[in-house]
Amino acid sequence: MKRILTIQDISCVGKCSLTVALPIISAFGVETAVLPTAVLSTHTAFKGFTFRDLTDDLPAICKHWKEQNIQFDGIYTGYLGSAEQLDIVKDIFNQFKNDNSFFIVDPVMADNGKLYAGFDSKFALDMSKLCAKADIIVPNLTEAALLLGEDYKGDCYDENYIRQLLLKLTKLGCKKAVLTGVSFKKDLLGVYGYDSENNNYFYYYREKLPCIFHGTGDVFASTLCGALAIGKSFFDSLKIAVDYTVECINATMRNPSHNWYGVDFETAFPYLIKRISE
Ligand code: PXL
């Protein structure tokens, strides 16, 4: 069985980061190890959340893993709680990879032109150094602009801008870049991927649903990670990840008593299982 390590916070309530990544990657039949970077009472869209930074606990955990000769077939990082953690994570990938391991970085820090609470532009530039080490990065358009030290363009862009952005992102050092939340027509939304190793671009989109839910980026990245771990190609993995994310949003909208803070990814599991066994 493949073993993946996912490194991100635990938001105890809120359906994001580890509470999404662990069940979704496990659903692929993949062993999922976790390294929590912080414990929050809820994610940061709630008012008054608590935050315990776990940076100081990471070295001892890694030392123990090293003594146990543990390795991972893939490492996927999401929300990281401090700039210091970026260096630790870089080191973790070097220490725990095997010859075929992949490294996915979701540079979680911003959306809709705004940094999340607790992050600044210095963190964004440090994050670009972690992205340089990744096989695949999955920023949204706000995060991509921050990684490159550019202004966020809002909705005013064309396909050429997206392709240039992808090229610049891979020039940071990562092999593949995927921009999420890309829309060229008002009722369509998708992801635009670029593989610098074979110069292939790939756009996959679905209908744009009339709602925005928290945690969908984590659902997308976790699904991408699980699909790659079971050996699906890069582009097939992207499609599965987009389609499952859409399915989760639809499941949430069908539930008249859904929560505001996250999607009903749990009720969409039958779709995912069926899809990956095709
Ligand atoms: O969904 C990304 C995410 C992860 N973790 C925490 C967050 C967010 C987004 O806001 O607040 C704590």
Side-chain angles (χ1 to χ4, degrees):
M1 189 183 282
K2 289 280 166 71
R3 184 192 296 125
I4 296 292
L5 170 64
T6 179
I7 309 176
Q8 40 192 324
D9 71 282
I10 296 187
S11 290
C12 301
V13 172
K15 300 215 250 188
C16 70
S17 42
L18 280 188
T19 62
V20 164
L22 180 54
I24 291 180
I25 301 170
S26 299
F28 282 84
V30 169
E31 179 184 341
T32 310
V34 300
L35 187 57
T37 54
V39 181
L40 292 83
S41 50
T42 61
H43 62 54
T44 56
F46 286 80
K47 281 213 179 76
F49 58 88
T50 69
F51 184 99
R52 179 172 297 274
D53 183 353
L54 296 180
T55 307
D56 290 347
D57 294 278
L58 306 184
I61 294 172
C62 293
K63 179 169 172 286
H64 182 224
W65 287 348
K66 203 73 204 163
E67 287 160 8
Q68 299 298 312
N69 284 323
I70 290 169
Q71 291 192 331
F72 301 104
D73 302 299
I75 296 182
Y76 150 46
T77 70
Y79 182 102
L80 299 174
S82 68
E84 204 186 332
Q85 287 182 355
L86 298 171
D87 287 329
I88 297 177
V89 164
K90 240 181 271 167
D91 201 44
I92 289 176
F93 183 63
N94 290 331
Q95 282 196 50
F96 295 101
K97 66 178 182 204
N98 58 38
D99 290 344
N100 299 311
S101 303
F102 60 82
F103 184 24
I104 302 179
V105 174
D106 184 358
V108 176
M109 56 187 168
D111 205 0
N112 298 314
K114 276 205 221 122
L115 283 155
Y116 294 140
F119 295 118
D120 56 20
S121 50
K122 161 83 171 60
F123 180 89
L125 289 181
D126 289 341
M127 178 61 95
S128 70
K129 293 180 198 133
L130 180 64
C131 287
K133 306 281 171 218
D135 294 299
I136 304 177
I137 63 169
V138 291
N140 59 37
L141 293 173
T142 306
E143 289 158 348
L146 284 162
L147 290 172
L148 296 168
E150 295 184 1
D151 288 338
Y152 172 62
K153 276 183 170 274
D155 294 339
C156 304
Y157 57 81
D158 58 12
E159 190 157 1
N160 186 43
Y161 168 76
I162 295 295
R163 286 185 171 224
Q164 290 304 315
L165 214 50
L166 287 164
L167 211 53
K168 285 187 263 184
L169 287 168
T170 53
K171 289 213 165 118
L172 290 174
C174 55
K175 298 190 183 91
K176 301 177 176 76
V178 178
L179 285 168
T180 59
V182 176
S183 174
F184 301 116
K185 287 202 178 121
K186 76 173 181 350
D187 47 357
L188 300 176
L189 184 69
V191 299
Y192 214 121
Y194 174 59
D195 184 343
S196 69
E197 289 182 310
N198 53 24
N199 203 30
N200 274 340
Y201 288 91
F202 177 80
Y203 184 44
Y204 184 65
Y205 55 87
R206 292 280 307 268
E207 67 281 14
K208 188 178 192 169
L209 299 168
C211 49
I212 295 176
F213 285 108
H214 208 89
T216 49
D218 299 340
V219 169
F220 169 78
S222 303
T223 311
L224 175 66
C225 179
L228 289 168
I230 61 167
K232 302 278 184 195
S233 71
F234 176 48
F235 291 152
D236 280 348
S237 300
L238 285 180
K239 280 192 199 169
I240 293 169
V242 169
D243 289 341
Y244 178 57
T245 306
V246 170
E247 197 66 25
C248 291
I249 297 170
N250 278 325
T252 312
M253 291 196 311
R254 278 196 300 269
N255 173 4
S257 57
H258 68 253
N259 298 309
W260 64 269
Y261 53 73
V263 287
D264 290 11
F265 68 90
E266 305 90 338
T267 43
F269 269 139
Y271 170 85
L272 182 64
I273 305 291
K274 185 163 168 282
R275 179 70 185 268
I276 61 185
S277 50
E278 274 167 7

